[in-house]
Amino acid sequence: MVALPLPTLPGEISILQSLTLDLRWTWSHEGDALWSCVNEDLWERTHNPWVVLQSTPAERFKALARDKKFLDELASFVAVRERYLKTPGWFRSSEQASQLGGVAYFSMEFGLGAALPLYAGGLGILAGDFLKAASDLDVPIVGIGLLYQEGYFRQVLDASGGQQEFYPFNEPAAMPIEPVILPEGGWLRIPLEMPGRVVLLRVWQANVGRVKLYLLDSNDALNGPPDRGITAKLYGGGTETRLMQEIVLGIGGWRVVKALHPEIEVCHINEGHAAFAIIERARQQALKENIDFWDGLWATRAGNVFTTHTPVAAGFDRFPADLLRKYLPYVEGSIAGDSLTLADILALGRINPDDEEEQFNMAYLALRGSATCVGVSRLHGEFSRRIFQPLFPRWPTCEVPVGHITNGVHMPTWDSAEADRIWTEACGKERWRSDPGTEVENIAQVPDEELWAMRNKNRAHLVHLTRRHLATQLRERGRDAEAVHTADTALDPNILMIGFSRRFTEYKRTDILLRDLDRLGRLLLNENRPAQIVMSGKAHPADSVGKEMIRSWINVARQPKFRQRVVFLEDYDIDLAQHLVQGVDVWINTPRRPWEACGTSGMKILVNGGLNCSILDGWWDEAYRPDVGWAIGDARGGSVEDVDARDAESLYETLETRVIPEFYDCDVAGVPRAWLQRIRNSMSILTPAFAGSRMMKDYIEQAYLPRAQAVAERLKDKNAKAREMNKWSRDLHAGWSSLHIGRPTITRNEATWNVVVPVHLGEVAPSSVRVELFADARDELVPEIVLLHREHEIPGSINGFVYAGAVSTSRSIDDYTARIVPDHPDVVLPNELPLIAWQR
Ligand SMILES: *Cc1c(COP(=O)(O)O)cnc(C)c1O
């Protein structure tokens, strides 16, 4: 009905049709070979098997059906695929498998492959890698996203390096997706309330190996023209369109989960965009059990996980209150006892509920509605605790409940065929699919000669590809044959290849190497130890600074002396990224600290024997050690000008005095031993630590299993526990202002301070609180929390007690302050109730 008919394939090869719908070929080198064999030119151009089948002439299929070699390859590919899909993977075979019914992973973008262009950058690529890792490890996850009629823009550079943006139409019939058909027949359509109308959302399905990704779109003939465009463009349109998209993703998405996967108990929100799922989930729970909205939220919040990706508060998605009033009025009064008002919803997204000027912040809703919240690297976790501090008034920053799970990348997506071969020989085929990290030590045993041969092949391949890409670029820009010919001599397979690719934007400082062009010239054109740079990246259409950075690099690349040493490849996408990360020797990343929440491109080179030379920000801050790569800059801070100047100097100097000399320091056999030892360290130590399988395992252990267990508890007996918690929290809230901490008495006894504190609990039950001493981090000292014990009632008082405890005299008693915090065995604190009272 939706798809254009595919050509009728001869019986021997008819299986190709079902293979097109499995995105597993995006990370299978065998898949590459197979599709390339069907139609090399089309495969190279589109990397979309669906299009390859649609556009290959029938004679070619007839020939393939008689081609013994092809049939053998096909049979073996099919057998491998069957085995992959049928053999239970690591998680499903583990003891914990029965404790996790399922996870719905919501994301505004998914970057799985060139054939499904539903991503703009890092967030989408991460989400794609996440689903692939879930498939490999056999974790019960489904993805929830949007199907855009136009993905993110495609980049073309004009003759002067100006960026032009094109938005090709995503033809659903040419994408590896299928409509979700209901058991009783008919396409699954999700109704969604919008002002004065109901919009229907079509549901599509993409198969990522074992994992399903559901995609919603509003481009249904049954919708009015403006509504058909809601899902037209990724990050396109104004604030109102963005809000509608986020309502479609969060609310529509949760309805898909309810319709297709009732077993799912964990809702994972990848960045704040999908946070409305929290409200819809709680609302549906309340409707189902006929309880009030807040009981429903207390029940379901235990099953929600939020990953924040934003490094600065200004990066959060926000909406004016009036827009929410326009789009969400139907939730009001929809639930028992009129327990949900728009004012309540607005309060969930504000610091100050009553501030009419304050915009509604999606990240605040996400954090308040999730029992587990993590940032995407250790450093980002730390900065996120500062960013979210205002939601936890008077709580110490170190206790703001945002942890971190550092991102990882799906290694099989990013390894070269050559790297795959070496890893397979050393560590086996199952290396990223078994208990993460257990099968990869052997990579350290691979001999220098073999590693060096791989590096040389990978580099040569990138040079070859760059020349081809560059020639096409020049031809399409209308340059004459002679100019196009220069592409044949661009780069050199035998010299050090430096690379980077990323969004061109101010904080990434992509132009940092251009601060001193003479120095760059000496570095690249050195006669004995030359170097070359290949790069790629887009600037946001509205980012003039980013566009200017692209122009500067193009101007350098066009100078005759740099022509063979500097290449800018236009239209950065997942395909290009794969080639770059496979070929470069050294990857550079130069964000302004701490703006890089994590950064993942540097992780993609690890498996291929590339080395990182980057600012200590994001993942590199925790990954770096002197024997695996190079660190640029320092954490001293200062004015932007000072930091930029210091970092630039540090980068030049590191390249000149350490990176380049080591690369060319070869023994008589022509092998750079020290360089290879560094590669070996980087491959064996960092690759497993920053693999998607490690990330997935962390999410399972630190988020999914605890959340699944907690939400199951709260949903039992008509949500009895959740309702009890809700009441408990309300009582505590109401009584909190009646608490009061008296003056402590301190005595010294040998090596301890004995502390005795009178506490008046007012309206609050003693069992609902803990009294503690708190000392914050200072100099070398870490934060400390010491529980005080309730000793006895204060004579003559009502609900007044003496609490006592002891701390070591190794720390000044002035560091400690007494405080009261809520205490409940099952409530996640302080996430779910951020009350605190301090000794005055
Ligand atoms: C990996 C990747 C990114 C993200 O890279 P960062 O290092 O996180 O900036 C963006 N776009 C594409 C196409 C990628 O492959």
Side-chain angles (χ1 to χ4, degrees), residues 90-91 94-101 103 265-266 302 305 697-711:
W90 165 74
F91 183 71
S94 76
E95 279 170 22
Q96 300 152 325
S98 63
Q99 297 161 26
L100 184 62
V103 178
E265 76 266 268
V266 176
V305 176
K697 195 178 181 201
D698 282 352
Y699 270 103
I700 291 171
E701 288 172 355
Q702 296 171 37
Y704 297 159
L705 290 172
R707 291 297 108 239
Q709 196 186 354
V711 76

mmCIF file of all heavy atoms in Angstrom, residues 90-91 94-101 103 265-266 302 305 697-711:
data_model
loop_
_atom_site.group_PDB
_atom_site.id
_atom_site.type_symbol
_atom_site.label_atom_id
_atom_site.label_comp_id
_atom_site.label_asym_id
_atom_site.label_seq_id
_atom_site.Cartn_x
_atom_site.Cartn_y
_atom_site.Cartn_z
ATOM 1 N N TRP A 90 23.543 -11.935 25.202
ATOM 2 C CA TRP A 90 24.091 -11.884 26.563
ATOM 3 C C TRP A 90 23.017 -11.571 27.611
ATOM 4 O O TRP A 90 22.892 -12.271 28.601
ATOM 5 C CB TRP A 90 25.207 -10.836 26.626
ATOM 6 C CG TRP A 90 25.561 -10.473 28.026
ATOM 7 C CD1 TRP A 90 26.266 -11.235 28.920
ATOM 8 C CD2 TRP A 90 25.179 -9.284 28.744
ATOM 9 N NE1 TRP A 90 26.348 -10.599 30.128
ATOM 10 C CE2 TRP A 90 25.695 -9.394 30.050
ATOM 11 C CE3 TRP A 90 24.452 -8.129 28.396
ATOM 12 C CZ2 TRP A 90 25.515 -8.408 31.014
ATOM 13 C CZ3 TRP A 90 24.279 -7.146 29.358
ATOM 14 C CH2 TRP A 90 24.804 -7.290 30.648
ATOM 15 N N PHE A 91 22.221 -10.542 27.388
ATOM 16 C CA PHE A 91 21.293 -10.175 28.451
ATOM 17 C C PHE A 91 20.179 -11.201 28.599
ATOM 18 O O PHE A 91 19.843 -11.616 29.707
ATOM 19 C CB PHE A 91 20.694 -8.780 28.221
ATOM 20 C CG PHE A 91 19.781 -8.367 29.346
ATOM 21 C CD1 PHE A 91 20.295 -8.058 30.586
ATOM 22 C CD2 PHE A 91 18.403 -8.357 29.178
ATOM 23 C CE1 PHE A 91 19.459 -7.715 31.651
ATOM 24 C CE2 PHE A 91 17.559 -8.012 30.238
ATOM 25 C CZ PHE A 91 18.099 -7.687 31.469
ATOM 26 N N SER A 94 21.091 -13.990 30.615
ATOM 27 C CA SER A 94 21.590 -13.729 31.975
ATOM 28 C C SER A 94 20.496 -13.953 33.002
ATOM 29 O O SER A 94 19.313 -14.018 32.676
ATOM 30 C CB SER A 94 22.096 -12.288 32.078
ATOM 31 O OG SER A 94 20.999 -11.403 32.158
ATOM 32 N N GLU A 95 20.921 -14.074 34.248
ATOM 33 C CA GLU A 95 19.960 -14.324 35.327
ATOM 34 C C GLU A 95 18.974 -13.177 35.501
ATOM 35 O O GLU A 95 17.871 -13.358 35.988
ATOM 36 C CB GLU A 95 20.708 -14.506 36.647
ATOM 37 C CG GLU A 95 21.280 -15.887 36.814
ATOM 38 C CD GLU A 95 22.220 -15.940 38.005
ATOM 39 O OE1 GLU A 95 22.089 -15.075 38.898
ATOM 40 O OE2 GLU A 95 23.084 -16.840 38.015
ATOM 41 N N GLN A 96 19.431 -11.981 35.132
ATOM 42 C CA GLN A 96 18.589 -10.804 35.406
ATOM 43 C C GLN A 96 17.502 -10.595 34.361
ATOM 44 O O GLN A 96 16.638 -9.735 34.534
ATOM 45 C CB GLN A 96 19.465 -9.550 35.449
ATOM 46 C CG GLN A 96 20.523 -9.626 36.517
ATOM 47 C CD GLN A 96 21.727 -8.798 36.127
ATOM 48 O OE1 GLN A 96 22.091 -8.695 34.953
ATOM 49 N NE2 GLN A 96 22.357 -8.190 37.113
ATOM 50 N N ALA A 97 17.567 -11.377 33.283
ATOM 51 C CA ALA A 97 16.669 -11.105 32.163
ATOM 52 C C ALA A 97 15.203 -11.079 32.596
ATOM 53 O O ALA A 97 14.419 -10.243 32.136
ATOM 54 C CB ALA A 97 16.882 -12.133 31.063
ATOM 55 N N SER A 98 14.855 -11.972 33.506
ATOM 56 C CA SER A 98 13.443 -12.067 33.889
ATOM 57 C C SER A 98 12.995 -10.844 34.687
ATOM 58 O O SER A 98 11.807 -10.630 34.903
ATOM 59 C CB SER A 98 13.223 -13.324 34.715
ATOM 60 O OG SER A 98 13.979 -13.226 35.905
ATOM 61 N N GLN A 99 13.959 -10.046 35.151
ATOM 62 C CA GLN A 99 13.577 -8.886 35.979
ATOM 63 C C GLN A 99 13.311 -7.631 35.158
ATOM 64 O O GLN A 99 13.040 -6.572 35.708
ATOM 65 C CB GLN A 99 14.700 -8.579 36.989
ATOM 66 C CG GLN A 99 14.927 -9.695 37.967
ATOM 67 C CD GLN A 99 16.292 -9.571 38.618
ATOM 68 O OE1 GLN A 99 16.851 -8.490 38.713
ATOM 69 N NE2 GLN A 99 16.835 -10.694 39.062
ATOM 70 N N LEU A 100 13.441 -7.753 33.854
ATOM 71 C CA LEU A 100 13.214 -6.573 33.020
ATOM 72 C C LEU A 100 12.232 -6.905 31.899
ATOM 73 O O LEU A 100 12.561 -7.639 30.976
ATOM 74 C CB LEU A 100 14.555 -6.084 32.431
ATOM 75 C CG LEU A 100 14.497 -4.803 31.601
ATOM 76 C CD1 LEU A 100 14.030 -3.623 32.441
ATOM 77 C CD2 LEU A 100 15.865 -4.488 30.992
ATOM 78 N N GLY A 101 11.022 -6.360 32.015
ATOM 79 C CA GLY A 101 10.017 -6.633 30.994
ATOM 80 C C GLY A 101 10.312 -5.898 29.704
ATOM 81 O O GLY A 101 10.230 -6.460 28.619
ATOM 82 N N VAL A 103 11.893 -1.792 27.913
ATOM 83 C CA VAL A 103 12.245 -0.376 28.015
ATOM 84 C C VAL A 103 11.790 0.318 26.735
ATOM 85 O O VAL A 103 11.988 -0.210 25.639
ATOM 86 C CB VAL A 103 13.779 -0.212 28.134
ATOM 87 C CG1 VAL A 103 14.167 1.260 28.197
ATOM 88 C CG2 VAL A 103 14.327 -0.964 29.342
ATOM 89 N N GLU A 265 7.985 -1.493 31.197
ATOM 90 C CA GLU A 265 7.829 -0.817 32.484
ATOM 91 C C GLU A 265 8.828 0.307 32.701
ATOM 92 O O GLU A 265 8.697 1.072 33.643
ATOM 93 C CB GLU A 265 7.835 -1.817 33.646
ATOM 94 C CG GLU A 265 9.172 -2.392 34.060
ATOM 95 C CD GLU A 265 9.520 -3.728 33.423
ATOM 96 O OE1 GLU A 265 9.218 -4.791 33.996
ATOM 97 O OE2 GLU A 265 10.147 -3.682 32.350
ATOM 98 N N VAL A 266 9.819 0.426 31.818
ATOM 99 C CA VAL A 266 10.767 1.525 31.976
ATOM 100 C C VAL A 266 10.646 2.472 30.780
ATOM 101 O O VAL A 266 10.642 2.046 29.633
ATOM 102 C CB VAL A 266 12.225 1.006 32.085
ATOM 103 C CG1 VAL A 266 13.197 2.184 32.155
ATOM 104 C CG2 VAL A 266 12.382 0.123 33.313
ATOM 105 N N ALA A 302 8.744 6.078 39.316
ATOM 106 C CA ALA A 302 9.777 5.101 39.684
ATOM 107 C C ALA A 302 10.297 4.355 38.470
ATOM 108 O O ALA A 302 11.386 3.780 38.500
ATOM 109 C CB ALA A 302 9.210 4.124 40.698
ATOM 110 N N VAL A 305 13.460 7.076 33.428
ATOM 111 C CA VAL A 305 14.892 7.381 33.399
ATOM 112 C C VAL A 305 15.095 8.566 32.455
ATOM 113 O O VAL A 305 14.498 8.610 31.380
ATOM 114 C CB VAL A 305 15.693 6.171 32.864
ATOM 115 C CG1 VAL A 305 17.175 6.503 32.742
ATOM 116 C CG2 VAL A 305 15.481 4.955 33.744
ATOM 117 N N LYS A 697 25.370 -1.927 29.386
ATOM 118 C CA LYS A 697 25.436 -2.672 30.643
ATOM 119 C C LYS A 697 25.259 -1.714 31.827
ATOM 120 O O LYS A 697 24.563 -2.025 32.789
ATOM 121 C CB LYS A 697 26.780 -3.390 30.732
ATOM 122 C CG LYS A 697 26.790 -4.444 31.799
ATOM 123 C CD LYS A 697 28.110 -5.183 31.830
ATOM 124 C CE LYS A 697 28.071 -6.248 32.911
ATOM 125 N NZ LYS A 697 29.409 -6.640 33.328
ATOM 126 N N ASP A 698 25.871 -0.552 31.741
ATOM 127 C CA ASP A 698 25.706 0.441 32.813
ATOM 128 C C ASP A 698 24.244 0.845 32.953
ATOM 129 O O ASP A 698 23.726 0.966 34.067
ATOM 130 C CB ASP A 698 26.538 1.696 32.524
ATOM 131 C CG ASP A 698 28.010 1.481 32.836
ATOM 132 O OD1 ASP A 698 28.346 0.431 33.404
ATOM 133 O OD2 ASP A 698 28.825 2.372 32.496
ATOM 134 N N TYR A 699 23.583 1.078 31.829
ATOM 135 C CA TYR A 699 22.169 1.463 31.914
ATOM 136 C C TYR A 699 21.343 0.339 32.521
ATOM 137 O O TYR A 699 20.443 0.581 33.324
ATOM 138 C CB TYR A 699 21.617 1.866 30.540
ATOM 139 C CG TYR A 699 21.795 3.349 30.258
ATOM 140 C CD1 TYR A 699 22.784 3.811 29.414
ATOM 141 C CD2 TYR A 699 20.974 4.297 30.882
ATOM 142 C CE1 TYR A 699 22.968 5.175 29.176
ATOM 143 C CE2 TYR A 699 21.137 5.655 30.653
ATOM 144 C CZ TYR A 699 22.144 6.090 29.798
ATOM 145 O OH TYR A 699 22.317 7.436 29.585
ATOM 146 N N ILE A 700 21.639 -0.890 32.141
ATOM 147 C CA ILE A 700 20.882 -2.015 32.695
ATOM 148 C C ILE A 700 21.047 -2.048 34.212
ATOM 149 O O ILE A 700 20.080 -2.105 34.963
ATOM 150 C CB ILE A 700 21.346 -3.344 32.069
ATOM 151 C CG1 ILE A 700 20.939 -3.398 30.598
ATOM 152 C CG2 ILE A 700 20.771 -4.529 32.828
ATOM 153 C CD1 ILE A 700 21.535 -4.568 29.844
ATOM 154 N N GLU A 701 22.304 -1.988 34.651
ATOM 155 C CA GLU A 701 22.553 -2.179 36.078
ATOM 156 C C GLU A 701 22.188 -0.967 36.920
ATOM 157 O O GLU A 701 21.649 -1.095 38.007
ATOM 158 C CB GLU A 701 24.031 -2.525 36.299
ATOM 159 C CG GLU A 701 24.326 -3.935 35.830
ATOM 160 C CD GLU A 701 25.800 -4.268 35.853
ATOM 161 O OE1 GLU A 701 26.623 -3.371 36.153
ATOM 162 O OE2 GLU A 701 26.121 -5.439 35.544
ATOM 163 N N GLN A 702 22.507 0.222 36.402
ATOM 164 C CA GLN A 702 22.320 1.414 37.239
ATOM 165 C C GLN A 702 20.944 2.056 37.062
ATOM 166 O O GLN A 702 20.521 2.847 37.893
ATOM 167 C CB GLN A 702 23.403 2.446 36.929
ATOM 168 C CG GLN A 702 24.783 1.949 37.288
ATOM 169 C CD GLN A 702 25.861 2.894 36.776
ATOM 170 O OE1 GLN A 702 25.698 4.100 36.789
ATOM 171 N NE2 GLN A 702 26.965 2.338 36.314
ATOM 172 N N ALA A 703 20.272 1.740 35.957
ATOM 173 C CA ALA A 703 18.992 2.404 35.715
ATOM 174 C C ALA A 703 17.853 1.398 35.499
ATOM 175 O O ALA A 703 16.901 1.368 36.269
ATOM 176 C CB ALA A 703 19.112 3.342 34.513
ATOM 177 N N TYR A 704 17.953 0.560 34.479
ATOM 178 C CA TYR A 704 16.783 -0.234 34.099
ATOM 179 C C TYR A 704 16.343 -1.231 35.172
ATOM 180 O O TYR A 704 15.158 -1.300 35.507
ATOM 181 C CB TYR A 704 17.041 -0.978 32.781
ATOM 182 C CG TYR A 704 17.282 -0.063 31.599
ATOM 183 C CD1 TYR A 704 17.940 -0.514 30.461
ATOM 184 C CD2 TYR A 704 16.852 1.265 31.619
ATOM 185 C CE1 TYR A 704 18.154 0.317 29.374
ATOM 186 C CE2 TYR A 704 17.075 2.102 30.537
ATOM 187 C CZ TYR A 704 17.729 1.625 29.425
ATOM 188 O OH TYR A 704 17.946 2.449 28.348
ATOM 189 N N LEU A 705 17.284 -2.021 35.702
ATOM 190 C CA LEU A 705 16.865 -3.035 36.673
ATOM 191 C C LEU A 705 16.298 -2.413 37.949
ATOM 192 O O LEU A 705 15.207 -2.782 38.385
ATOM 193 C CB LEU A 705 18.006 -4.013 36.970
ATOM 194 C CG LEU A 705 18.354 -4.960 35.810
ATOM 195 C CD1 LEU A 705 19.615 -5.756 36.125
ATOM 196 C CD2 LEU A 705 17.197 -5.905 35.506
ATOM 197 N N PRO A 706 16.996 -1.437 38.530
ATOM 198 C CA PRO A 706 16.408 -0.819 39.731
ATOM 199 C C PRO A 706 15.059 -0.146 39.449
ATOM 200 O O PRO A 706 14.137 -0.235 40.265
ATOM 201 C CB PRO A 706 17.442 0.231 40.159
ATOM 202 C CG PRO A 706 18.643 0.054 39.326
ATOM 203 C CD PRO A 706 18.359 -0.945 38.254
ATOM 204 N N ARG A 707 14.934 0.484 38.310
ATOM 205 C CA ARG A 707 13.669 1.172 37.992
ATOM 206 C C ARG A 707 12.550 0.155 37.779
ATOM 207 O O ARG A 707 11.429 0.343 38.217
ATOM 208 C CB ARG A 707 13.828 2.027 36.727
ATOM 209 C CG ARG A 707 14.721 3.239 36.832
ATOM 210 C CD ARG A 707 14.213 4.258 37.830
ATOM 211 N NE ARG A 707 15.017 4.289 39.018
ATOM 212 C CZ ARG A 707 14.586 4.061 40.243
ATOM 213 N NH1 ARG A 707 13.335 3.776 40.479
ATOM 214 N NH2 ARG A 707 15.379 4.127 41.266
ATOM 215 N N ALA A 708 12.855 -0.925 37.065
ATOM 216 C CA ALA A 708 11.819 -1.928 36.782
ATOM 217 C C ALA A 708 11.308 -2.519 38.085
ATOM 218 O O ALA A 708 10.096 -2.697 38.281
ATOM 219 C CB ALA A 708 12.388 -3.023 35.884
ATOM 220 N N GLN A 709 12.234 -2.789 38.978
ATOM 221 C CA GLN A 709 11.844 -3.389 40.249
ATOM 222 C C GLN A 709 10.998 -2.405 41.068
ATOM 223 O O GLN A 709 9.964 -2.766 41.618
ATOM 224 C CB GLN A 709 13.104 -3.764 41.018
ATOM 225 C CG GLN A 709 12.820 -4.719 42.131
ATOM 226 C CD GLN A 709 14.059 -4.964 42.983
ATOM 227 O OE1 GLN A 709 15.153 -4.494 42.667
ATOM 228 N NE2 GLN A 709 13.876 -5.678 44.061
ATOM 229 N N ALA A 710 11.443 -1.156 41.116
ATOM 230 C CA ALA A 710 10.731 -0.171 41.929
ATOM 231 C C ALA A 710 9.330 0.096 41.376
ATOM 232 O O ALA A 710 8.360 0.198 42.140
ATOM 233 C CB ALA A 710 11.530 1.129 41.998
ATOM 234 N N VAL A 711 9.217 0.206 40.072
ATOM 235 C CA VAL A 711 7.900 0.539 39.528
ATOM 236 C C VAL A 711 6.946 -0.645 39.719
ATOM 237 O O VAL A 711 5.757 -0.466 39.993
ATOM 238 C CB VAL A 711 7.988 1.009 38.058
ATOM 239 C CG1 VAL A 711 8.199 -0.137 37.088
ATOM 240 C CG2 VAL A 711 6.739 1.790 37.670
#
